[in-house]
Structure formats: C-alpha cells, structure tokens
Amino acid sequence: MLLNRDDWYDTSRDLDWTFTYVEASDAFPARWSGVGAESADAWQAWDEPFRVSYRDYVRIQREKESGVKAVRSAMMRAGVYEKLDAGHVAASHLHMGTTCMVEQMAVTMQSRFCRFAPSPRWRNLGVFGMLDETRHAQLDLLFSHDLLKFDPRFDWAQKAFHTNEWGVLAVKNFFDDIMLSADCVEASLAASLTVEHGFTNIQFVALAADAMAAGDVNWSNLLSSIQTDEARHAQVGFPTLAVLMETDPARAQTSLDVAFWRSTRLFQVLTGPAMDYYTPLDQRKMSFKEFMLEWIVNHHERILEDYGLKKPWYWDQFMHSLENGHHALHIGTWYWRPTLFWKPNAGVSKDEREWLREKYPTWEDNWGVMWDEIIKNVNDDRIQDTLPVTLPSLCNLTQLPIGSAMSRHDLEPHQLVYKERLYSFDSEISQWCFEQDPERYAGHRSFVDRFIGGEILPPDLGGALAYMGLTPDVMGDDAYGYAWAKDYVTAEAG
Amino acid sequence: MALFPITGRFVGDFIPHLVAVDTDDTMADVAEKVATLSVGHRVPMPTDPPGYEVLLDDVVIPESTVFGAVVAEHDLMPLQWFDVRFRERASVAT
Ligand SMILES: [Fe+2]
Ligand SMILES: [Fe+2]
C-alpha cells in the first residue's frame, strides 16, 4: 500500500544526525547558521507551513514552466515586443539587469539553508528554494536572450553584475550583505521575510500588472510565475522570527529594522521611477506610494505586531521618505542618464505632472521647480546643461546618492568618523544602520571612494563611464528624445 | 597646492556633489566650483545675482579665506561637507 504524504512527511523532514565524531558547533558553525550552542535546542521548534514533497514540487513546477513557455512562444510569434512603449521597455531593461543575478545569488543563499540551517525542516525546504531560484535566474536569462536581437540592453541580464555600473553596485552591495555574507538566521529575516515576502510584491505584483496593461504579456506572465515560488519559499522567515522572538528578540528587532530601511531604499530606485514615471500614464494602476502603503507598509506593520515587535524608531522619517525618495532617485537617474544602461522617461509632461501633483501634494515644491529649470534648458537647446559633469556624493551604507532619501528641504549632512575614515550617509537612518554593526559595512569603497582613490582613470566623467562598462549602444538617454518638453514651448508662446 | 575632495551642496538643490577643491583656492573659488554644478541646472539663477557664500557647520567662512587654512584649522578629512548658498542680503537691505 502506498503511504499518504501525511504518513511519512514528519519523519522524513525531521531526519537528522546526532554527531559523535565531530562537535555540532564544527558541523554547524554559528557564523554560518546564525545560532549559538546556547539556543540550539530552541530551533527544534522551527516549523514550516508548507507541507511539500519533492514529487508534488516537481509536478507543480512542471505545470508552471509549460505555462510560461506557451505564453513565450505565442508572444514571440505575435511580435509583441516591437510594439511596446519605449517608457515601459526601459522598466524591463532595468528589471532584467538588476534582478537576474540577484536570483542567482539567492541560489547560493538557499543552498546555505540546505546545508547550515539550524533545523532539518528548514534545510529540507531550502532544497526547494534553491531549485526555485535556479528557475528564476534561468527564466530571466531566457527571456532576455529572446529579446537580445531587438536591444543589446538585454545583454545586461547577464553582464550587469560583472560591471561597476553604480546602480548595480548598490544592488549588489545589499544582496552581498543579506544573501551571500549573512548567516542563515539573518538571511531569512532580511532576504526571505523582508525582501521576498514583502518588497518583491512591488516588482512581481505591481510591475506585473503594469506590464500587462502595457501589453507586455510575456514579461507580466514571467513575473507572476516567479512570484508564486517567492510566496512559498519566503515563508521560512516566519518560523525563524518566531524562534528568534524566544531566544533573542532584540536581534530580531534590529535585523528587521535595518533590512526594512535598506529594502525601502533599494526599491525606491528599482521600482519607484518605473511605476511613477516610465509606465505610460493611461496604464498606471497605482502610484508607487499607494502600492507601498497597501502592500508593504500595512503588511510589515502587521508582522511586527503579530510577533510582538515595535515599529522601527524611524517610522515617521520612513513615511516622509515614501513621499520623496523615489522622486529624488528619478530626477537623479534621469539627470545622470549616461550612467544608466536603460533609457529613462522623464515623465513630466503636463498631464503626467498633473498626476504627480495629485498623488504627491508636495511634488511641485520639492521636485517640480528643479524640473522647470531642466525643461527651460531643454527648450533653449542647452541639452549640455541637463547632463552631469561630476559625480554625486554617495551614501556609504546604501551606495545611493546622498539627497535621494528625502526632499531638498530636508537635506543635511550625516557624517561620522570610524577608524580614521569619514563616512557619509543619505539619512539619519542609514547612519544608524551603520552604527549597529560598523564592521559589517566599514571598509567597503563606494564609487566615490574609488574615484578619489585614483582607481578610475582618467579621473573625469568619461573615465567613470568607461569604468562602469557603459558603451554607446546601451548608454542611457531620454526615452522619447525630449518630445515631452514641447508641451511647455507651446504654453509659453501662447 | 593640492587637490582635496569635498562634499559640496548648493542650498536649494537636492543633491550634493563630489567637488575637487584646491588647497590654494579661496572661499570665492570654492563657492564658484560648487555653485556651477547646480545653478542654471536645477536651481534657477536669480535675476539680480547676489553672489555666493560658503558655510562649514552652518558658519559662513570669509570670502578671502584660503581653503588649505580651513582644512588645517578644523583638521578636516576628505569628503567633508560644505554648503554654498546665494549670499544672504537681508541684513544689508535693512
Ligand atoms: Fe527568486
Ligand atoms: Fe526568492
């Protein structure tokens, strides 16, 4: 008689060894597992809600794969890509270049769970997570490879993380920290619970909806298929948090507070501009802020409450950043557009501006006035005055430009000296994150540090672009060749 | 005479820049180097430009002061934050 899954599941996932020839602490070093000997027993209570067997897993994944494949071939045949809006296409370049390799990094993280997680149940689930992430990286590569003949920017799905492009360095810095360098407990709080369970909804739900509205069925479908895996394997964060609340609640609070802020900052650049500026106006579903409030903020608050944690001390500043950070990153990335591998849409035509004002009441005073100066230069044929000649200052925690966390009215210095080096931060919050564990962040050299250290030659913007690996065929420029600025010429003449 | 990198913010702009200042530069030179990256790019030039002033920790540094002397006096490190703004004329006007 064939056993039902429930008959054998608990026995199989609890399979473990009692060590006799080596110390448990040698087989599962605390710096890999994240668990000291004193709390090892508590982790036996770790329990996962997904009762999945390998047989079930393969069957379901196979169905998902054939679904993605069917859409892919239908869309390629229909020539859908060639008809897409240029602003929308930029969002897919940005996503592929910055996300594909993060999926691959997640394979390594999951494989660490498979080997070093402090519970056999978690190690078992890590196997499925590892297979999921392999699928995601491969899907991104396949999708990008199909479209390479239309645009060399899709090469960046594979290439980006082998360059020193500044935005890629910021993404890499964060995931190196929480996926590649973190122990299992830290990775599961920061990467699984905060990023995969929370923030990826912006990329994989919101962006998928925008992509569908823009007619990019293939990409939308790929994002949704990936999201079904994320929603499952991200669950390992919850039992981890539950055990940590028993053994070390202070660590749980700090880890989540740091990860939540760093994720916020990263998604302000990865998704904020794409949602509020690149996506064509008539296809926008929600503003970035609305989406964050509904899908991320409420959700995070609920988790904190359910597990008995406090809101981060910086909550008010975070809410203020939601109003501003991605607008800063948008005007900044557009202005420094030769440093991008995608073509950003300025997204400030009169209609778009009306929408921005409605969604963000402080937008005109915080951002509109600066765009007015840019618009004047564009319409007076002074494009060179809308292009960068030097680097912005960068934050030594987020690696993002200083000034991109809040508005110009809030900008003030946040600098500290640690071991005879001056570190700069984009906010009080980023400085606080650094102070929680300086050795974790100190020593890393930002793009600016490398520039003044003489690693980037010649030491000018041209040298910096070459160092970033940006070639003329992919270098960023205005997505619509400044056509949107014409709105303002007519108005002034009339 | 040596180049010294600073974090230069023009008040009103949203972003500070990496600016290479020379230790022989006067504050007027420093102001010009920082302002030129923002004014006319994202910050409008006023119709009657009042000139610029440089501040360290919210204190205006006299225009003729040489940058190297400021570095020595405050023992500054590379990437020190400086503010530059349009000269405030309120006191002159009254
Ligand atoms: Fe993934
Ligand atoms: Fe994942």
Side-chain angles (χ1 to χ4, degrees):
Chain A
M1 190 188 78
L2 200 59
L3 290 173
N4 287 322
R5 189 184 56 194
D6 285 345
D7 299 331
W8 53 261
Y9 189 76
D10 288 326
T11 311
S12 91
R13 67 169 194 167
D14 283 345
L15 184 66
D16 207 355
W17 284 265
T18 306
F19 296 104
T20 47
Y21 294 101
V22 292
E23 292 298 323
S25 59
D26 288 333
F28 289 88
R31 57 186 289 261
W32 288 85
S33 70
V35 173
E38 70 290 349
S39 69
D41 287 346
W43 290 87
Q44 296 313 311
W46 194 99
D47 200 6
E48 44 94 4
F50 271 93
R51 300 177 69 81
V52 62
S53 70
Y54 187 71
R55 182 194 296 262
D56 298 335
Y57 179 82
V58 171
R59 182 176 52 76
I60 294 166
Q61 296 304 93
R62 187 180 173 282
E63 280 164 20
K64 287 186 199 170
E65 279 294 275
S66 37
V68 171
K69 212 171 206 170
V71 173
R72 171 191 169 225
S73 37
M75 292 305 124
M76 290 303 287
R77 269 199 311 277
V80 167
Y81 179 81
E82 293 102 303
K83 296 169 201 147
L84 295 173
D85 184 276
H88 166 74
V89 164
S92 71
H93 294 151
L94 169 58
H95 176 89
M96 287 302 162
T98 51
T99 312
C100 177
M101 203 56 83
V102 176
E103 304 280 17
Q104 188 63 36
M105 291 162 93
V107 176
T108 303
M109 177 185 76
Q110 294 285 349
S111 68
R112 185 172 316 115
F113 294 165
C114 294
R115 169 60 184 83
F116 292 103
S119 143
R121 299 166 180 178
W122 183 354
R123 295 198 288 274
N124 188 45
L125 217 58
V127 177
F128 301 126
M130 191 169 69
L131 291 168
D132 288 343
E133 301 297 7
T134 306
R135 177 172 105 93
H136 305 168
Q138 292 300 316
L139 278 178
D140 282 355
L141 287 172
L142 180 69
F143 176 95
S144 299
H145 186 262
D146 282 343
L147 298 177
L148 198 49
K149 57 178 174 287
F150 300 112
D151 198 321
R153 291 180 173 87
F154 283 109
D155 197 21
W156 280 60
Q158 189 165 43
K159 179 179 173 179
F161 277 57
H162 302 288
T163 72
N164 289 307
E165 198 272 342
W166 70 271
V168 171
L169 289 183
V171 179
K172 191 169 177 293
N173 180 278
F174 182 46
F175 290 104
D176 276 351
D177 180 48
I178 65 164
M179 282 184 172
L180 299 190
S181 313
D183 60 54
C184 293
V185 171
E186 174 70 19
S188 120
L189 293 184
S192 309
L193 199 149
T194 310
V195 176
E196 293 178 313
H197 198 267
F199 283 84
T200 58
N201 284 308
I202 322 176
Q203 284 287 83
F204 293 99
V205 176
L207 218 54
D210 281 351
M212 191 55 92
D216 198 347
V217 182
N218 193 15
W219 187 35
S220 177
N221 184 55
L222 175 123
L223 291 170
S224 307
S225 182
I226 289 176
Q227 181 60 12
T228 60
D229 293 346
E230 296 297 337
R232 170 173 33 75
H233 69 233
Q235 301 279 342
V236 300
F238 292 103
T240 306
L241 179 56
V243 177
L244 201 60
M245 289 309 292
E246 298 295 319
T247 57
D248 194 351
R251 178 183 173 192
Q253 182 84 52
T254 307
S255 282
L256 288 177
D257 290 354
V258 169
F260 187 74
W261 176 245
R262 290 208 65 185
S263 305
T264 299
R265 295 291 290 133
L266 202 66
F267 283 82
Q268 282 177 334
V269 67
L270 290 183
T271 331
M275 283 184 72
D276 283 359
Y277 294 91
Y278 301 174
T279 299
L281 190 55
D282 56 351
Q283 295 157 9
R284 287 179 203 165
K285 298 284 179 216
M286 271 179 161
S287 72
F288 177 70
K289 185 179 103 184
E290 287 165 345
F291 194 91
M292 281 287 295
L293 287 174
E294 189 174 323
W295 284 76
I296 312 299
V297 177
N298 286 346
H299 169 89
H300 192 71
E301 280 184 286
R302 207 169 46 238
I303 294 174
L304 295 176
E305 211 180 290
D306 287 353
Y307 286 83
L309 289 162
K310 294 193 292 283
K311 272 191 206 175
W313 64 270
Y314 55 71
W315 200 250
D316 293 347
Q317 291 187 48
F318 159 73
M319 294 300 268
H320 189 62
S321 182
L322 264 193
E323 200 72 37
N324 290 291
H326 68 294
H327 298 304
L329 284 156
H330 175 63
I331 191 174
T333 45
W334 187 88
Y335 198 92
W336 269 265
R337 56 203 177 282
T339 70
L340 313 178
F341 58 90
W342 66 95
K343 290 172 82 169
N345 174 21
V348 290
S349 67
K350 290 205 159 173
D351 289 350
E352 290 165 317
R353 207 157 157 162
E354 184 64 43
W355 182 89
L356 286 163
R357 264 199 298 273
E358 189 204 313
K359 300 289 182 189
Y360 303 93
T362 55
W363 189 87
E364 260 328 311
D365 181 52
N366 289 353
W367 310 101
V369 290
M370 291 188 286
W371 278 108
D372 282 336
E373 195 66 9
I374 290 172
I375 290 164
K376 196 156 61 114
N377 286 330
V378 169
N379 286 332
D380 289 351
D381 270 336
R382 288 197 308 269
I383 297 293
Q384 76 281 2
D385 286 344
T386 72
L387 285 163
V389 292
T390 185
L391 300 173
S393 303
L394 295 178
C395 173
N396 285 116
L397 184 91
T398 64
Q399 311 299 316
L400 296 173
I402 290 171
S404 70
M406 309 284 167
S407 87
R408 64 200 185 99
H409 302 297
D410 314 301
L411 184 55
E412 53 181 43
H414 298 285
Q415 298 187 305
L416 64 79
V417 176
Y418 180 75
K419 292 190 177 170
E420 287 165 47
R421 180 177 155 194
L422 183 67
Y423 289 87
S424 303
F425 303 96
D426 59 20
S427 56
E428 188 190 351
I429 314 171
S430 291
Q431 179 169 334
W432 173 83
C433 293
F434 182 95
E435 286 166 343
Q436 298 316 296
D437 191 0
E439 281 303 307
R440 176 166 163 183
Y441 311 104
H444 180 271
R445 294 157 65 76
S446 73
F447 200 92
V448 164
D449 297 323
R450 298 177 201 192
F451 190 86
I452 63 178
E455 286 172 46
I456 298 170
L457 296 168
D460 54 25
L461 196 71
L465 292 174
Y467 181 81
M468 290 188 212
L470 287 157
T471 46
D473 55 337
V474 300
M475 195 174 283
D477 199 354
D478 186 78
Y480 297 108
Y482 312 100
W484 50 272
K486 298 288 175 285
D487 256 12
Y488 298 85
V489 178
T490 334
E492 278 152 30
Chain B
M1 195 186 89
L3 285 177
F4 191 97
I6 63 164
T7 301
R9 182 267 293 262
F10 192 85
V11 176
D13 200 356
F14 81 108
I15 204 167
H17 293 95
L18 170 65
V19 184
V21 175
D22 196 292
T23 46
D24 284 348
D25 283 347
T26 62
M27 283 305 121
D29 299 325
V30 173
E32 190 62 39
K33 284 182 176 176
V34 172
T36 190
L37 299 167
S38 297
V39 179
H41 299 277
R42 290 176 301 269
V43 177
M45 177 65 94
T47 38
D48 178 18
Y52 305 123
E53 55 195 6
V54 181
L55 297 91
L56 174 64
D57 293 333
D58 296 328
V59 179
V60 176
I61 311 172
E63 199 173 30
S64 57
T65 311
V66 173
F67 184 75
V70 179
V71 172
E73 187 191 336
H74 298 274
D75 204 11
L76 298 181
M77 299 173 83
L79 300 177
Q80 171 63 43
W81 180 295
F82 282 86
D83 279 328
V84 175
R85 68 182 181 199
F86 290 119
R87 186 171 289 133
E88 301 213 325
R89 284 184 297 197
S91 54
V92 181
T94 48

